[in-house]
């Protein structure tokens, strides 16, 4: 009965990504042949090297015991826990010298090796603090730094990242080890952490499959039960695992969970379930990387399968490596017994042993490399403080803000600091005492209500009160150790508008403080985070973070207020003369939705650098299941031309890297010998180079009768040969990008100087940007503009950095993609270019668009940083054609608006105005003469791309004109 299974297992070795090099195969086969059957079993074992006595605060080393087993069995791997780095290095070197086969060294160091070597190495913040950060490149840096630590200590595998979605606030074992409750963020950040490690040569391990986030029992002490349907698991828990599997994670750790919908056998943990490991993970999800069980010494599995039984069942289930199997002698004996009675076979052991050996080869454990103990502690600490500070600066989250005077404080004798959970002065208290002159009071969790009342009475004498919540437990048991008296004291203080509270630690504890008038989440309680919090109060830095979990109805996932930069709200008494001036705007927008011009929209107005109006209407779809919000991200369509490509061209122009008078052939050698070679860049920007308006590339790739994509050009799964995602489960053949470019090069030209609005113009301009910079267009504009401006929603291919729910869907395509397009660019040509093209592909919300236009109104300066020169902006936004209204890249008002029946973009726009509209129902306009910005975003093509009611009803111009009237700005 085992023979078919064995054949399948042996043949599947070749599917191991990265393990198929001939040299690796030769080495693994050679070592396998040198091992006895018993040693092959031992290669699957991961032994504990150390533990810790928390009572005496001393590490316990098992080096002599492990060394004996290495000599006896040729053990395959060890796992480091607590201990000093120099001692650990010495033990590793000794074990490697004793081993017949090099040992795979592993560690469970989710937040850096300081998680284990805490007597001498600083730890990094936990993953939940990373979940508050909006810049995922920081997560990649985190992974890379952890990998550097691992390599310095001779470690090949780190059991990280945690990709469990923590959707249970009372989870006692995952909790703040998770990136948060949003499966998309968990997946995206898990992938970045994984890539950071594996790019640096350390094996990552996604855990805990199939998802440990929704439990109330700690699997260290008992077997948690998850009663969910397979559909529920697939839609949430499994999502990050599927994503990180596809991204190339080299290993996975399997959890001790009882999930009856996966395996109904009573008390059979997922870690020892064939239905989970082989059927679900291997067969259904297709994952072929290495598997580690979670620690078999944990009661979640040991309670029901003691004395080596769990080791046997782990291998039967299909696992490769057995973590911390307890008594090795018993475990090996039980496995040999299972082979003898037919439960297992030596062939299956050999299969798993070879997989382990291949992994050793790929991650540098095919040779015995000794760890140099010199300066090891200093080396392991290098870079940690800087990264911790960066994370703290990017994670700090303002949740409530009702008094601006508390968010950039000046020294004052009327400031009190009340440190709850503190027995004395910490770094935060020192800073605000020394730099703000604050008077400090302290309240411990052992103090009573009388002590709390005494502080309340004294606090009445102060104009501003700073409350710090410190020193509480990281785990949710007993309400994080927060005493009732401390909670009541905080609540009494927090209800006052003159108080601001900063919560240092697990954000779930904020559930106790949801009525605070001014509230900041800081996530950790170390000295560096406290320094960053002080910098924030002093106005030295801004808040950028977003809450990674829901803590109460007031503060849900994604909550967070940016402070100190971007666009402040208007002052009604000075900017807006009345209270109902935007009623006409409301009426037009609501009527557009009633008339079916779009399912929803967002309108934003900025006057004199302040937000005068910002409102969402309707829904994302006509079924009304999800409302449009101020944060909704829309496909910007042709607005890409000015907010990505033209901005890039402007930057390169002022740097002297691009000349408007040069020709395409000067920048794009492939145009030489074609009719595109001599097209002048300025004419291309003005849409008067003679290029075709567009080329329907997709029609060449589909059956025109049925609308179905040709199977020779598309695949439902991504591969090296079919790598271009054009929609969900639809990948274009990789080389077709070159085919489309050739179609443009071979296309006919119209008369030069004639205005023909063309997508092809901007496809060429995007190519020029990429050729000059050596970077993809999306990467260049992100680096130069979007990231430094902190545009959190703006970019190409938005599913790579935000959840699907934030993005408005566009067309239900009847042909080509044949699905509701959401998160993929609506424009078919841009989609076929991989979602990044010079003419389309940008996504954004209204707020970010307003910031980009404010940059241009500010003559190139934004938030204290210069991005463009004033002369560049003036040049590009001016009229430049005798045959059209166009600027260089920018759209402009019609020159004869004063006499037109239907002026464009509206009657009151000045001649200096500039902007653009998009096919999906978007418009962005800035008017320097009025210091006015108008943003209109909709998905009018949802679900019917032929819906033209937005155009016929003149919605965008009507609202634009109503804005001018609302602000009492008359036309010239």
């Amino acid at each position: 009965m085992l023979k078919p299974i064995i054949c399948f297992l042996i043949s599947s070795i070749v599917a191991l990504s990265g393990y198929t090099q001939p040299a690796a195969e030769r080495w693994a086969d050679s070592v396998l042949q040198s091992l006895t059957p018993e040693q092959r079993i031992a290669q699957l074992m991961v032994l504990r090297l150390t533990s810790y006595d928390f009572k005496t605060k001393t590490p316990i080393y098992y080096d002599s015991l492990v060394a004996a087993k290495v000599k006896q069995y040729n053990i395959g791997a060890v796992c480091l826990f607590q201990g000093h780095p120099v001692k650990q290095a010495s033990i590793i070197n000794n074990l490697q010298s004793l081993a017949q086969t090099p040992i795979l060294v592993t560690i469970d160091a989710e937040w850096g090796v300081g998680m284990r070597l805490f007597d001498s190495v600083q730890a990094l913040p936990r993953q939940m603090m990373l979940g508050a950060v909006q810049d995922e490149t920081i997560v990649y840096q985190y992974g890379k730094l952890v990998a550097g630590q691992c390599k310095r200590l001779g470690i090949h595998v780190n059991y990280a990242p945690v990709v469990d979605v923590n959707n249970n606030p009372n989870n006692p074992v995952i909790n703040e080890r998770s990136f948060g409750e949003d499966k998309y963020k968990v997946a995206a950040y898990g992938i970045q952490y994984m890539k950071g490690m594996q790019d640096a040569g350390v094996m990552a391990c996604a855990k805990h499959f199939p998802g440990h986030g929704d439990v109330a029992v700690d699997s260290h002490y008992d077997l948690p039960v998850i009663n969910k349907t397979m559909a529920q698991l697939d839609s949430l828990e499994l999502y990050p695992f599927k994503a990180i599997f596809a991204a190339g994670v080299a290993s996975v750790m399997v959890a001790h969970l009882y999930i009856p919908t996966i395996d109904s056998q009573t008390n059979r943990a997922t870690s020892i379930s064939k239905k989970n490991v082989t059927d679900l993970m291997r067969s259904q999800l297709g994952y072929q990387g290495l598997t580690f069980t979670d620690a078999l010494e944990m009661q979640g599995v040991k309670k029901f399968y003691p004395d080596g039984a769990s080791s046997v069942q782990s291998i039967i289930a299909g696992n490769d490596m057995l973590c911390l199997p307890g008594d090795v002698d018993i475990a090996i004996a039980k496995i040999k017994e299972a082979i003898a009675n037919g439960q297992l076979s030596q062939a299956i052991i050999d299969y798993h042993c070879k997989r382990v050996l291949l992994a050793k080869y790929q991650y540098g454990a095919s040779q015995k490399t000794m760890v140099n103990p010199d300066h090891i502690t200093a080396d392991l600490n290098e870079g940690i403080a800087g990264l911790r500070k960066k994370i703290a600066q990017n994670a700090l989250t303002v949740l409530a803000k009702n008094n601006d005077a508390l968010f950039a404080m000046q020294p004052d004798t009327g400031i009190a600091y009340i440190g709850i959970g503190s027995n004395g002065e910490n770094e935060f208290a020192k800073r605000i005492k020394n730099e703000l002159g604050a008077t400090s009071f302290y309240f411990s969790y052992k103090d009573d209500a009388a002590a709390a009342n005494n502080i309340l009475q004294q606090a009445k004498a102060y104009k501003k009160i700073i409350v710090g919540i410190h020193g509480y437990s990281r785990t949710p048991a007993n309400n994080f150790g927060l005493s009732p008296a401390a909670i009541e004291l905080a609540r009494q203080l927090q209800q006052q508008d003159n108080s601001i509270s900063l919560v240092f630690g697990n954000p779930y504890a904020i559930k106790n403080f949801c009525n605070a008038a001014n509230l900041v989440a800081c996530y950790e309680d170390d000295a560096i985070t406290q320094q960053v919090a002080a910098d924030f109060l002093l106005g030295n830095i801004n808040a950028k973070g977003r809450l990674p979990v829901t803590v109460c109805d007031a503060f849900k996932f994604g909550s967070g207020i940016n402070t100190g930069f971007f666009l402040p709200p208007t002052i009604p008494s000075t900017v807006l003369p009345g209270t109902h001036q935007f009623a006409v705007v409301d009426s037009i927008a609501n009527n557009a939705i009633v008339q079916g011009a779009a399912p929803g929209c967002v309108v934003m107005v900025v006057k004199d650098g302040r937000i005068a109006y910002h409102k969402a209407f309707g829904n994302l779809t006509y079924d009304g299941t999800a409302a449009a919000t101020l944060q909704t991200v829309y496909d910007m369509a042709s607005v890409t031309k000015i907010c990505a490509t033209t901005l890039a061209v402007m930057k390169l122009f002022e740097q002297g890297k691009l000349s408007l008078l040069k020709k395409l052939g000067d920048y794009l050698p492939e145009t030489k010998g074609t009719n595109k070679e001599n097209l002048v860049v300025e004419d291309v920007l003005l849409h008067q180079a003679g290029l075709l308006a567009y080329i329907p590339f997709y029609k060449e790739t589909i059956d025109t009768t049925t609308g179905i994509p040709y199977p020779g050009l598309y695949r439902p799964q991504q591969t090296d040969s079919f790598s271009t995602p054009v929609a969900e489960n639809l990948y274009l053949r990789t080389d077709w990008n070159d085919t489309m470019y050739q179609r443009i090069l071979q296309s006919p030209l119209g008369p030069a100087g004639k205005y023909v609005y063309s997508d092809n113009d901007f496809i060429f301009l995007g190519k020029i940007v990429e050729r000059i910079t050596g970077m993809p267009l999306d990467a260049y504009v992100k680096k130069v503009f979007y990231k430094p401006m902190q545009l959190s929603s703006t970019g190409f291919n938005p599913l790579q950095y935000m959840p699907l729910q934030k993005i408005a869907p566009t067309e239900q395509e009847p042909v080509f993609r044949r699905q509701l397009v959401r998160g993929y660019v609506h424009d078919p040509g841009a989609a076929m270019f991989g979602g990044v093209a010079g003419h389309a592909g940008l996504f954004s919300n209204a707020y970010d668009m307003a910031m980009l236009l404010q940059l241009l109104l500010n003559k190139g300066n934004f938030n204290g940083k210069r991005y463009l020169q004033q002369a560049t902006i003036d040049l590009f936004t001016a009229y430049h054609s005798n045959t059209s209204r166009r600027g260089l890249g920018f759209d402009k008002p019609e020159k004869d608006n004063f006499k037109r029946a239907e002026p464009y973009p509206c009657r009151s726009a000045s001649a200096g105005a500039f902007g653009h509209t998009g096919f999906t129902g978007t418009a962005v306009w800035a008017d320097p003469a009025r210091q006015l910005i108008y943003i209109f975003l909709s998905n009018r093509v949802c679900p019917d791309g032929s819906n033209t009611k937005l155009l016929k009803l003149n919605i965008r111009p009507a609202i634009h004109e109503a804005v001018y009237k609302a602000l009492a700005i008359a036309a010239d």
Side-chain angles (χ1 to χ4, degrees):
M1 291 181 65
L2 289 172
K3 187 174 181 181
I5 299 173
I6 295 166
C7 292
F8 166 75
L9 293 177
I10 296 298
S11 65
S12 71
I13 288 178
V14 298
L16 283 168
S17 176
Y19 298 167
T20 58
Q21 310 98 317
E25 289 282 341
R26 287 193 298 272
W27 182 84
D29 287 336
S30 173
V31 173
L32 184 66
Q33 293 304 313
S34 72
L35 300 174
T36 67
E38 189 175 69
Q39 289 176 326
R40 296 176 187 183
I41 296 172
Q43 281 294 303
L44 313 184
M45 303 285 179
V46 184
L47 302 194
R48 175 187 284 275
L49 193 55
T50 59
S51 64
Y52 194 76
D53 187 331
F54 285 92
K55 289 183 179 179
T56 63
K57 296 184 178 180
T58 56
I60 302 170
Y61 297 98
Y62 303 121
D63 48 316
S64 59
L65 294 174
V66 174
K69 299 307 173 187
V70 168
K71 290 179 182 178
Q72 182 180 0
Y73 295 116
N74 196 20
I75 293 295
V78 296
C79 184
L80 306 186
F81 287 91
Q82 293 81 5
H84 193 276
V86 175
K87 175 72 171 178
Q88 301 269 30
S90 174
I91 294 172
I92 292 169
N93 288 344
N94 181 55
L95 292 176
Q96 293 288 21
S97 68
L98 294 173
Q100 174 185 326
T101 304
I103 294 173
L104 191 73
V105 183
T106 73
I107 191 170
D108 187 6
E110 297 160 16
W111 48 92
V113 300
M115 172 183 173
R116 299 300 179 187
L117 315 183
F118 49 75
D119 64 336
S120 51
V121 181
Q122 298 180 69
L124 288 162
R126 286 157 174 77
Q127 285 187 193
M128 190 162 285
M129 189 174 189
L130 284 174
V133 171
Q134 299 305 294
D135 183 356
E136 65 182 42
T137 63
I138 293 175
V139 185
Y140 179 86
Q141 295 168 24
Y142 185 104
K144 205 159 188 179
L145 189 149
V146 173
Q149 292 181 314
C150 290
K151 290 181 78 69
R152 181 65 182 86
L153 196 51
I155 296 165
H156 309 102
V157 183
N158 183 19
Y159 300 133
V162 172
V163 291
D164 301 312
V165 181
N166 199 79
N167 52 338
N168 185 342
N170 296 316
N171 191 322
V173 63
I174 302 302
N175 210 276
E176 62 175 345
R177 294 165 63 193
S178 167
F179 289 113
E181 70 179 46
D182 179 73
K183 65 181 181 181
Y184 301 103
K185 173 164 277 190
V186 170
Y189 281 26
I191 289 169
Q192 289 303 314
Y193 189 169
M194 174 271 290
K195 286 183 176 178
M197 284 200 293
Q198 293 190 177
D199 285 355
V202 171
M203 178 187 285
C205 182
K207 62 186 187 184
H208 307 79
F209 185 86
H212 211 307
D214 194 6
V215 302
V217 172
D218 187 340
S219 53
H220 289 85
Y221 307 111
D222 208 339
L223 181 61
V225 180
I226 297 179
N227 287 306
K228 289 190 174 185
T229 66
M230 200 64 224
Q232 289 173 319
L233 293 170
D234 188 65
S235 67
L236 184 65
E237 278 83 359
L238 290 175
Y239 180 87
F241 286 98
K242 290 190 287 186
I244 202 168
F245 289 171
V249 69
S251 69
V252 63
M253 179 172 283
V254 188
H256 304 318
L257 304 167
Y258 177 48
I259 308 178
T261 194
I262 294 177
D263 191 334
S264 60
Q265 183 173 333
T266 304
N267 296 325
R268 179 171 286 276
T270 46
S271 55
I272 58 172
S273 167
K274 181 177 179 294
K275 291 181 179 179
N276 179 62
V277 178
T278 298
D279 297 348
L280 174 59
M281 186 173 65
R282 297 293 194 204
S283 299
Q284 293 183 39
L285 302 186
Y287 181 66
Q288 297 303 322
L290 207 65
T291 64
F292 294 83
T293 67
D294 207 342
L296 296 176
E297 65 186 18
M298 293 163 61
Q299 290 300 314
V301 66
K302 185 178 179 180
K303 178 179 179 180
F304 302 104
Y305 292 86
D307 302 326
S310 61
S311 294
V312 173
Q313 294 300 318
S314 295
I315 299 175
I316 292 173
N319 287 295
D320 297 305
M321 301 210 75
L322 315 181
C323 278
L324 314 188
D327 191 309
V328 177
D329 297 329
I330 293 176
I332 290 178
K334 290 284 186 179
I335 292 170
K336 290 166 70 174
E337 182 181 318
I339 294 171
N341 65 28
Q343 284 182 285
L344 284 170
S345 73
Q346 188 61 48
I348 289 177
I349 298 297
D350 293 351
Y351 160 77
H352 290 293
C353 183
K354 183 172 179 181
R355 286 169 59 84
V356 171
L357 294 172
L358 287 167
K360 284 187 176 186
Y361 187 93
Q362 179 164 359
Y363 285 92
S366 61
Q367 296 180 344
K368 297 178 180 180
T369 304
M370 298 295 116
V371 182
N372 181 359
D374 295 343
H375 314 296
I376 190 169
T377 302
D379 292 344
L380 291 172
N381 279 293
E382 187 175 353
I384 294 177
L387 185 56
R388 286 173 66 191
K389 183 176 181 180
K390 178 183 281 190
I391 292 168
Q393 290 173 331
N394 280 271
L396 189 138
T397 306
V398 173
L399 294 173
K401 184 173 183 283
N402 291 307
N403 186 345
D404 288 344
L406 299 172
F407 287 83
M409 289 194 189
Q410 299 297 317
D412 195 324
T413 56
I415 299 174
Y417 168 65
I418 299 171
I420 296 177
S422 296
N423 293 314
E425 197 172 62
N426 57 25
E427 291 300 315
F428 181 71
K430 288 178 185 176
R431 286 283 303 280
I432 60 175
K433 180 184 75 174
N434 294 336
E435 298 181 47
L436 291 177
T439 301
S440 297
F441 302 86
Y442 298 101
F443 186 89
S444 78
Y445 296 127
K446 295 180 180 179
D447 291 333
D448 59 15
N453 187 61
N454 181 50
I455 290 177
L456 284 171
Q457 295 305 314
Q458 294 185 72
K460 292 179 180 178
Y462 293 90
K463 294 182 290 184
K464 296 176 183 178
I465 299 170
I466 303 167
V467 180
I469 311 295
H470 296 276
Y472 58 86
S473 172
R474 291 188 173 278
T475 60
N478 300 315
N479 197 13
F480 301 92
L482 295 164
S483 68
I487 293 171
E488 184 58 28
L489 172 60
R491 287 176 177 171
Q492 291 286 335
L493 294 167
Q494 290 167 344
Q495 291 174 7
Q496 305 173 36
D497 280 345
N498 71 331
S499 76
I500 180 170
S501 295
L502 298 96
V503 182
F504 293 87
N506 189 326
Y508 279 121
I510 292 171
K511 68 180 183 179
N512 296 286
F513 314 115
C514 287
N515 293 322
N518 301 281
L519 183 64
V520 182
C522 300
Y523 301 99
E524 293 279 355
D525 198 16
D526 57 89
I528 290 175
T529 303
Q530 291 168 13
Q531 291 280 3
V532 167
D535 282 336
F536 169 72
L537 272 190
L538 292 163
N540 298 332
I541 63 169
N542 306 302
K544 308 170 189 176
R546 292 288 186 272
L547 199 62
V549 291
T550 296
V551 298
C552 57
D553 288 341
F555 305 130
K556 295 184 181 294
F557 164 78
S559 298
I561 303 168
N562 289 325
T563 63
F565 56 93
F566 302 148
L567 303 166
T570 191
I571 304 171
S573 61
T574 59
V575 178
L576 304 183
T579 58
H580 303 292
Q581 55 269 62
F582 284 105
V584 175
V585 173
D586 292 352
S587 177
I588 298 170
N590 283 319
N591 183 58
I593 293 166
V594 170
Q595 295 293 325
C601 65
V602 175
V603 182
M604 186 173 184
V605 178
V606 178
K607 178 71 173 76
D608 297 323
R610 290 180 172 270
I611 301 171
Y613 182 88
H614 194 191
K615 197 167 183 178
F617 300 85
N619 301 286
L620 300 186
T621 57
Y622 285 105
D623 62 14
T625 56
T629 72
L630 301 183
Q631 290 75 41
T632 298
V633 171
Y634 288 89
D635 183 329
M636 298 306 300
S638 285
V639 173
T640 303
K641 293 181 173 73
I642 65 166
C643 290
T645 311
T646 300
L647 283 178
V649 169
M650 292 165 74
K651 188 66 177 178
L652 297 174
F653 166 80
E654 72 178 26
Q655 291 176 335
K657 297 178 181 179
L658 184 153
S659 169
L660 302 182
L661 302 180
K662 285 192 173 183
K663 301 172 182 179
L664 293 190
D666 294 320
Y667 299 104
L668 303 174
E670 64 271 22
T671 64
K672 291 188 175 181
T674 74
N675 57 4
K676 312 302 185 301
E677 177 181 358
N678 294 315
L679 300 185
V680 178
V681 171
E682 183 177 25
D683 288 336
V684 175
L685 279 163
L686 292 170
H687 296 276
Q688 57 189 43
L691 289 161
L692 293 179
Y694 77 102
I695 299 173
F697 302 108
Y698 75 96
K699 289 185 177 180
E700 190 176 350
T701 70
I702 65 172
D703 185 322
T704 54
T705 303
T706 63
I708 298 175
Y710 290 130
L713 296 179
Y714 294 92
R715 290 284 190 275
Q717 291 88 30
Q718 190 172 34
T719 67
D720 288 342
S721 298
F722 295 82
S723 63
T724 305
V726 298
E728 186 176 10
N729 300 323
L730 190 63
Y731 297 89
L732 176 63
R733 204 171 75 191
T734 306
D735 60 3
W736 204 255
N737 187 299
D738 295 332
T739 301
M740 292 187 293
Y741 195 36
Q742 286 300 313
R743 297 293 182 267
I744 302 174
L745 291 174
Q746 296 164 6
S747 63
L749 283 179
K754 180 181 179 181
Y755 172 67
V756 176
Y757 179 79
S758 172
D759 288 341
N760 293 319
D761 283 312
F762 276 76
I763 292 174
F764 275 127
L765 291 169
K767 295 285 186 183
I768 290 175
V769 171
E770 294 181 341
R771 199 63 54 85
I772 292 173
T773 64
M775 300 173 65
L777 174 65
D778 59 333
Y780 179 74
V781 290
K782 179 180 179 180
K783 177 183 177 181
V784 176
F785 295 99
Y786 306 159
K787 183 177 178 181
M789 290 182 68
Q790 301 180 48
L791 307 186
S792 60
S793 74
T794 305
F796 296 78
N797 290 317
L799 293 178
Q800 295 178 3
Y801 60 91
M802 72 174 63
L804 182 71
Q805 294 92 327
K806 290 183 67 173
I807 307 167
T810 52
E811 186 177 358
Q812 177 71 52
E813 280 192 352
V815 299
F816 181 32
R817 288 177 281 188
R818 300 168 63 82
Q819 59 181 269
L820 180 65
V821 178
R822 188 175 190 183
Y824 295 84
V825 60
H826 174 263
D827 182 273
M832 294 171 71
F833 276 116
V836 181
H839 70 292
L842 192 67
F843 286 72
S844 184
N845 63 22
Y847 197 90
D848 281 3
M849 283 291 99
M851 287 197 284
L852 273 178
L853 267 63
Q854 190 65 51
L855 161 70
L856 299 174
L857 287 187
N858 290 351
K859 302 300 183 183
N861 186 68
F862 190 77
N863 194 32
K865 180 177 179 178
R866 177 160 295 283
Y867 293 83
L868 292 167
Q869 298 299 318
Q870 176 178 338
T872 304
I873 297 170
D874 290 344
L875 175 67
F876 276 71
T877 60
Y879 290 111
H880 281 277
S881 175
N882 295 324
T883 59
S884 77
R885 64 174 186 257
R886 305 296 298 199
L888 293 172
F890 291 91
D891 204 356
K892 298 275 296 171
E894 292 287 0
K895 297 173 184 176
D896 57 351
N897 259 348
F898 65 97
K899 64 180 181 181
R900 281 179 172 256
E902 292 185 1
Y904 179 87
C906 71
R907 177 78 62 191
S908 294
S910 77
F914 54 88
H916 217 285
T917 58
F919 182 84
T920 51
T922 58
V924 301
W925 284 92
D927 192 336
R930 321 298 191 195
Q931 284 297 301
L932 180 70
I933 293 169
Y934 164 61
I935 311 289
F936 179 95
L937 304 184
S938 78
N939 55 334
R940 65 102 185 166
V941 293
C942 179
D944 182 2
S946 64
N947 178 12
T948 59
K949 291 181 180 178
L950 192 78
L951 304 174
K952 292 179 179 178
L953 295 172
N954 215 31
I955 299 300
R956 288 174 289 188
I959 292 179
H960 200 175
E961 183 63 23
V963 166
Y964 279 94
K965 294 294 189 287
L967 296 175
I969 302 173
D972 290 333

